[in-house]
Amino acid sequence: MTHEKYRGCIEACVACAQECERCGDACIGQPQMAECVRTCRDCAELCWTCSGFMSRGSTLAAEVCRACAEACDRCAAECAEHEAEHCKRCAEACRRCAEECRKVAA
Amino acid sequence: MTHEKYRGCIEACVACAQECERCGDACIGQPQMAECVRTCRDCAELCWTCSGFMSRGSTLAAEVCRACAEACDRCAAECAEHEAEHCKRCAEACRRCAEECRKVAA
Amino acid sequence: MTHEKYRGCIEACVACAQECERCGDACIGQPQMAECVRTCRDCAELCWTCSGFMSRGSTLAAEVCRACAEACDRCAAECAEHEAEHCKRCAEACRRCAEECRKVAA
Amino acid sequence: MTHEKYRGCIEACVACAQECERCGDACIGQPQMAECVRTCRDCAELCWTCSGFMSRGSTLAAEVCRACAEACDRCAAECAEHEAEHCKRCAEACRRCAEECRKVAA
């Protein structure tokens, strides 16, 4: 089953999207967190999109996962530079999601 | 915590989005399932969108949940008319999601 | 033709989405613009979503336009309080879009 | 200006998204058009997403354009096999969009 094949990656994307939405919102308005707001938004959007492509078994799922993995890498790198608890959680979720997306993209 | 307040509804939306993506894709190409493809797509898209608004604690979350609940109602009604296993699962997920979204929209 | 019926509103939504994306990004990192970042993002996302629903003639287009009009109102009100050129342009695009969305929602 | 740099591609994406939404909806329920429904939906979704990334000048715009170009190629190839007027229009819009996206992705 297509859906089954992607289960781990869908779960990682959904978890990552939620952390990114939360972290990105928390960082708004803080000058030193500007890039974090941007990477979180991009990452969240691709994670939600990616979840949809995998859920319906799209033949483009691998392609979208590739872009999503890239977004996750950038967001993880950005969040890892900050001390806030939401940044740490977000970085961790991004790393897991990047890993899962790379498996699908391979 | 905003995120916590919405947890049940986010989970229902994410589950519903996945069922709708799957059901909608399975119904493509079948003349008698045309409306099901449409309601599933609309519902999936609003469920993903809604999950994002709630995850970041948007002040518009209630508004988007209202539209999402309407999409869920229509999709549940459509899927309930069909015998396929994916339609039954989808109808059930839509009903749960509509209920959760109505709580948030209230 | 469904698509024709919505032409004016789709154009207003697409124009508004672009202004909101631009304005929201420009405001990131400025403490006094925090709410502007949020309303711009919410509005952009609903404008893109709304454009899709109308483009395919979804029976839920009116419902989504209602939520979008609300997002436009809030973003217009927020942006109208600021002096930046992108805020002024955004407020204007939001007002036009809210008006078009209300016609469809009616 | 970031936004200016992407103007041609944003316009191509928005035009393509609209054609894909319309064509994909028109093909629902026709057994021989099943793949067209799928490629149109995938392509529409990536075109809207891509428009957002470019509008806000995201550093991931090139990455998303790459996935979008791939979606456009597939949708153009699929639609080119069919005689319906909406398929011809869609194929043409997809070809133009793929070309613009490739320029940004380069």
Side-chain angles (χ1 to χ4, degrees), chain C residues 48-69:
Chain C
W48 295 122
T49 301
C50 208
S51 301
F53 275 74
M54 287 187 283
S55 297
R56 62 181 180 267
S58 164
T59 56
L60 273 166
E63 205 73 41
V64 181
C65 278
R66 190 166 301 125
C68 191

Side-chain angles (χ1 to χ4, degrees), chain A residues 16-90:
Chain A
C16 186
Q18 288 178 259
E19 294 296 344
C20 285
E21 296 279 9
R22 202 193 323 209
C23 180
D25 188 75
C27 293
I28 290 175
Q30 297 175 256
Q32 76 283 18
M33 304 305 270
E35 274 313 293
C36 193
V37 175
R38 292 188 178 98
T39 60
C40 280
R41 176 172 178 192
D42 284 355
C43 194
E45 193 165 336
L46 287 180
C47 282
W48 294 122
T49 301
C50 208
S51 301
F53 275 74
M54 287 187 283
S55 297
R56 62 183 180 266
S58 166
T59 55
L60 273 166
E63 205 72 41
V64 182
C65 278
R66 191 165 302 127
C68 192
E70 182 63 29
C72 289
D73 283 348
R74 296 192 193 188
C75 196
E78 176 63 33
C79 284
E81 290 183 19
H82 306 293
E83 294 303 315
E85 178 62 22
H86 51 75
C87 283
K88 289 184 194 307
R89 287 171 54 95
C90 190

Side-chain angles (χ1 to χ4, degrees), chain C residues 14-103:
Chain C
V14 166
C16 187
Q18 289 178 257
E19 293 297 343
C20 286
E21 296 278 11
R22 201 192 326 207
C23 180
D25 188 75
C27 293
I28 289 174
Q30 299 176 256
Q32 77 283 16
M33 305 304 272
E35 272 315 292
C36 193
V37 176
R38 292 188 177 97
T39 60
C40 281
R41 177 173 179 191
D42 284 355
C43 194
E45 192 167 336
L46 287 180
C47 282
W48 295 122
T49 301
C50 208
S51 301
F53 275 74
M54 287 187 283
S55 297
R56 62 181 180 267
S58 164
T59 56
L60 273 166
E63 205 73 41
V64 181
C65 278
R66 190 166 301 125
C68 191
E70 182 64 29
C72 289
D73 283 349
R74 295 191 194 189
C75 194
E78 176 63 33
C79 284
E81 290 183 19
H82 307 293
E83 293 303 315
E85 180 61 23
H86 51 74
C87 284
K88 288 185 195 305
R89 287 171 56 95
C90 190
E92 177 57 25
C94 286
R95 275 189 291 260
R96 271 201 54 235
C97 190
E99 201 181 321
E100 292 288 338
C101 282
R102 287 239 157 66
K103 284 191 224 164

Side-chain angles (χ1 to χ4, degrees), chain B residues 12-101:
Chain B
C13 279
V14 165
C16 186
Q18 289 178 257
E19 294 296 343
C20 285
E21 296 278 8
R22 198 188 334 204
C23 180
D25 187 75
C27 293
I28 289 175
Q30 299 175 256
Q32 76 283 17
M33 304 305 271
E35 275 313 294
C36 192
V37 175
R38 292 188 178 98
T39 60
C40 280
R41 177 171 178 193
D42 285 355
C43 193
E45 193 166 336
L46 288 179
C47 282
W48 295 122
T49 301
C50 208
S51 301
F53 275 74
M54 287 187 285
S55 296
R56 64 183 179 264
S58 164
T59 56
L60 273 166
E63 206 71 42
V64 181
C65 279
R66 192 166 300 127
C68 192
E70 182 64 30
C72 289
D73 282 349
R74 295 192 195 189
C75 195
E78 176 63 33
C79 285
E81 289 182 20
H82 305 292
E83 293 304 315
E85 180 61 23
H86 52 73
C87 284
K88 289 184 194 308
R89 287 170 56 96
C90 190
E92 176 57 25
C94 286
R95 274 188 293 260
R96 271 201 56 236
C97 189
E99 201 181 322
E100 291 290 337
C101 281

